[in-house]
Amino acid sequence: MHSFGHRANAVATFALTILAAMCFAASFSDSFNSPTPAASAQILNINWFQKEANANDEVSMTLNISADLSSLFTWNTKQVFVFVAAEYETPQNALNQVSLWDGIIPAKEHAKFLIHTTNKYRFIDQGSNLKGRDFNLTMHWHIMPKTGKMFADKIVMTGYQLPEQYR
Amino acid sequence: MSKEPIRTGEIVVFNIDGREIPIVHRVIKVHERQESGEVDILTKGDNNFGDDRLLYAQGQLWLQKHHIMGRAVGYLPYVGWVTIVMTEKPIIKYLLIGALGLLVITSKE
């Protein structure tokens, strides 16, 4: 019962158990963080708004996106993935979520930002339902930990509307 | 995999016809039908320039619920290396199983 093999097995199992407990403890410490994030988004300009050849509406817009996500960072945070999605309903679809912009925040120092950008990903509807359409801009963030559970949350900003006519 | 509907931002695991290794990427677009609840999904790797349409099967523009095998909910660092090493150098897989088998056989209990 004291062969090299048995001892090696016992040490390895114990080490792995300790490592697993440390991962769990690190992840658990994240639940003590009470974050106070802030975000806002403005549409500066609708660049163009057309119906494509395949009969889907598409819109291009320029946005100001600003946020302060520094309170999300803990010692167990590797990076935060943040994105802004347009969310709306159409007669055909109960929910449409289209990501317009995203970014990776590698550290707390970069978590307070103001971005001036056109939409990174194409805002294309399934069909032609965007004229005059009301939509929300929701900022989502996903906290990627060094180890353990990922947390995600969002701020919903309502009150945006697409033009009544193509342009 | 939980029954919660799939929403943007979630990291999902999916298989493409003809590819053996599943892909773990983030959902960036969701279009969910009114009555049926069926859903069209587009994914993208966070640090990639373009979306995953280049990875999907020929002519496929969207993923559906049945393509999705699961969601990522957390991280355990370096655990994946065990699988990678055992796949790339199968001899290590045989050595490990052989050593464990030897332990069982030679144990006196």
Side-chain angles (χ1 to χ4, degrees), chain A residues 81 83 89-99 121-122 126 142 144-148 150, chain B residues 7-9 11 26 28-34 40 44 46 62 72-75 77 103 107:
Chain A
F81 183 82
F83 68 98
E89 183 178 349
T90 63
Q92 179 195 325
N93 289 339
L95 175 66
N96 300 280
Q97 293 179 307
V98 179
S99 175
Y121 306 112
R122 298 172 69 182
Q126 286 192 328
H142 286 251
M144 288 147 82
K146 295 196 171 114
T147 168
M150 279 196 290
Chain B
R7 295 287 174 252
T8 45
I11 300 177
R26 196 181 298 272
I28 61 165
K29 290 189 186 174
V30 169
H31 294 281
E32 184 174 291
R33 300 274 174 282
Q34 286 281 4
D40 283 333
K44 176 181 170 291
D46 285 351
W62 304 98
V73 297
Y75 287 102
L103 257 173
S107 122

Side-chain angles (χ1 to χ4, degrees), chain B residues 13-33:
Chain B
V13 183
F14 58 93
N15 256 322
I16 299 296
D17 299 323
R19 288 176 185 268
E20 35 173 76
I21 302 179
I23 301 171
V24 187
H25 274 175
R26 196 181 298 272
V27 175
I28 61 165
K29 290 189 186 174
V30 169
H31 294 281
E32 184 174 291
R33 300 274 174 282

